[in-house]
Amino acid sequence: MTSTTELGTSGSSAILSQDIEEIASLFTVTPTDSPTPDDERVAKLDSPKFGTVFSDHMARISWRRDDGWIHRRVEKYGPLQLDPATAVLHYGQEVFEGMKAYRHADGTVWTFRPEENAARLSRSAHRLALPALPVDDFIAACAVLVRTDIAWVPDAPDSSLYLRPFMFASEPFLGVRPADEVEFLVIASPSGAYFSGGVKPVSIWVDAEYHRAGPGGTGAAKCGGNYAASLLPQSEAATKGFDQVCFLDGGSNTYLEELGGMNVFLVMADGSVHTPELTGSILEGVTRSSILRLAADHGRDVVERRIPLTELVDGLRNGQVSEVFACGTAAVVTPVGRLAGETFDATVGTGEPGDLTMTIRRELTDIQYGRAADRHGWMRRLA
Ligand code: COI
């Protein structure tokens, strides 16, 4: 891929690489015959609840075992017609991504490290025996959709057009084998804050009963099954009054893993920043890796290691752990104010958002929204 993407600051004339633009030109765009009227769209863009509002179009590429990736198009957003025997409905052969398109002050629209999401989608696809989608196809599909639905990219503070690329086995076949027919789609959902109420500390139940993944399983893949496995524990945590659930490793039930939809970080009293190492059952978060970089930029020691729950609990009690936060594309950086489990209930620091947590959150969003120089070359202009 030839790179012509550079500074993520607004005002740059950067566009996507020539290779990606060439793929983008292969997409057939068929505009919807019933576009959302302007006043209705403006109303929908006003503080939409996460994941409830969708733009007028979707991008789509089909795959056939004999033909590879074919039929690149953008078409009207709408229900998919699926045969009841469609493989994904039975065996869950599906993977997805989460990204955002950000409107900068000058009206240009950018996205964040899409190559990382594209590469992760292919790693997830490999684990689920789905075909790899070339990085350029992935980014081109996102770009063509955003350009078609540019009016759906909100400009309110902290808002964005959330992009949900996903791939699934579309072949109608009940045999248990990798499907010969697959669909890749990108849909777009204008969104404000992931948690209603904005940035405020969340409470977490550390679950010692259920696991979202096990050794050799699909934990590192972004596949629907991992999220399905987190729903019951999440509901039970909510019943106990907690916002989120944190999982321990499935092998020994000892070490922190992740929250199911977010990675987790600890800030220690000595200033170092620690996060569970990638053991194969933790999602390789793009936000996670960006935070490791930003924390290192601050001169902090960043440590990826196995973190025993007992160490976290002791550290919260004796002050060795001063901040805890969760992160992900949708939630960005979210402070954790309280952690509890069967045998403990601890406040994180004073229970208020920590200084480093909020600094990292601001630095990351300043880069994403073009308010700060893109010093790591993370931003890609889509429109
Ligand atoms: C994201 O952060 O984009 C995710 O995919 C997590 C999802 C559960 C909202």
Side-chain angles (χ1 to χ4, degrees):
M1 172 172 114
T2 349
S3 183
T4 54
T5 41
E6 14 328 59
L7 276 189
T9 45
S10 298
S12 159
S13 60
I15 52 161
L16 295 169
S17 74
Q18 205 178 344
D19 291 351
I20 298 175
E21 293 296 352
E22 269 169 28
I23 301 272
S25 70
L26 300 178
F27 279 73
T28 307
V29 179
T30 308
T32 172
D33 51 8
S34 52
T36 307
D38 286 350
D39 53 346
E40 216 177 287
R41 189 190 64 250
V42 168
K44 286 183 167 194
L45 289 181
D46 186 22
S47 319
K49 187 168 152 34
F50 179 82
T52 57
V53 172
F54 298 94
S55 71
D56 279 336
H57 298 88
M58 57 193 188
R60 189 165 182 176
I61 316 179
S62 304
W63 181 86
R64 300 291 174 265
R65 190 165 296 282
D66 291 340
D67 304 320
W69 292 103
I70 50 170
H71 199 189
R72 294 165 179 81
R73 69 257 196 216
V74 166
E75 59 195 25
K76 176 179 178 166
Y77 180 93
L80 304 174
Q81 195 177 16
L82 295 181
D83 189 292
T86 300
V88 68
L89 301 178
H90 302 272
Y91 309 124
Q93 201 190 357
E94 183 266 358
V95 295
F96 69 97
E97 277 300 320
M99 300 159 68
K100 285 176 174 172
Y102 307 89
R103 192 180 286 282
H104 287 190
D106 64 358
T108 57
V109 177
W110 300 70
T111 195
F112 182 73
R113 308 186 73 183
E115 304 83 1
E116 300 297 322
N117 295 90
R120 187 174 62 187
L121 184 85
S122 283
R123 289 196 299 276
S124 302
H126 177 71
R127 180 63 184 84
L128 274 284
L130 285 161
L133 178 74
V135 171
D136 289 0
D137 267 300
F138 178 97
I139 300 177
C142 294
V144 180
L145 177 62
V146 167
R147 290 168 189 175
T148 307
D149 279 342
I150 186 91
W152 287 89
V153 185
D155 56 11
D158 290 331
S159 66
S160 59
L161 186 63
Y162 184 80
L163 301 176
R164 170 53 62 88
F166 62 104
M167 186 194 293
F168 66 93
S170 55
E171 183 184 359
F173 177 63
L174 293 184
V176 183
R177 60 136 170 86
D180 287 340
E181 295 173 19
V182 170
E183 293 293 305
F184 169 75
L185 286 93
V186 188
I187 56 174
S189 175
S191 68
Y194 182 61
F195 292 115
S196 53
V199 186
K200 55 176 196 260
V202 295
S203 56
I204 290 184
W205 177 259
V206 183
D207 203 309
E209 183 184 355
Y210 300 110
H211 298 104
R212 66 177 277 286
T218 57
K222 203 162 174 68
C223 63
N226 292 340
Y227 293 77
S230 75
L231 297 178
L232 178 66
Q234 172 67 39
S235 307
E236 293 188 1
T239 305
K240 295 184 182 87
F242 291 83
D243 299 310
Q244 289 288 316
V245 62
C246 178
F247 294 97
L248 300 176
D249 73 288
S252 68
N253 212 24
T254 301
Y255 302 100
L256 300 180
E257 291 230 308
E258 61 163 84
L259 268 54
M262 285 175 277
N263 294 117
V264 66
F265 277 82
L266 315 184
V267 183
M268 313 304 277
D270 68 3
S272 57
V273 176
H274 298 224
T275 192
E277 71 177 321
L278 302 174
T279 51
S281 52
I282 297 177
L283 189 79
E284 301 169 24
V286 178
T287 309
R288 174 188 180 279
S289 83
S290 309
I291 289 171
L292 287 171
R293 189 64 200 261
L294 293 179
D297 290 352
H298 278 271
R300 303 285 183 133
D301 279 339
V302 292
V303 187
E304 297 175 72
R305 65 180 174 94
R306 305 198 93 185
I307 303 174
L309 173 63
T310 48
E311 183 192 316
L312 170 61
V313 174
D314 291 346
L316 290 170
R317 287 183 177 143
N318 65 23
Q320 286 301 308
V321 174
S322 51
E323 301 179 32
V324 179
F325 63 85
C327 68
T329 297
V332 196
V333 173
T334 297
V336 174
R338 177 183 168 206
L339 279 143
E342 288 300 346
T343 57
F344 71 99
D345 192 339
T347 302
V348 180
T350 59
E352 292 304 308
D355 287 346
L356 187 69
T357 302
M358 296 312 281
T359 300
I360 295 272
R361 182 185 165 92
R362 195 190 61 248
E363 284 186 4
L364 187 59
T365 52
D366 279 354
I367 291 172
Q368 291 170 333
Y369 286 92
R371 298 184 293 253
D374 175 22
R375 60 184 188 272
H376 294 300
W378 284 338
M379 300 303 290
R380 301 289 178 264
R381 184 173 163 191
L382 296 178

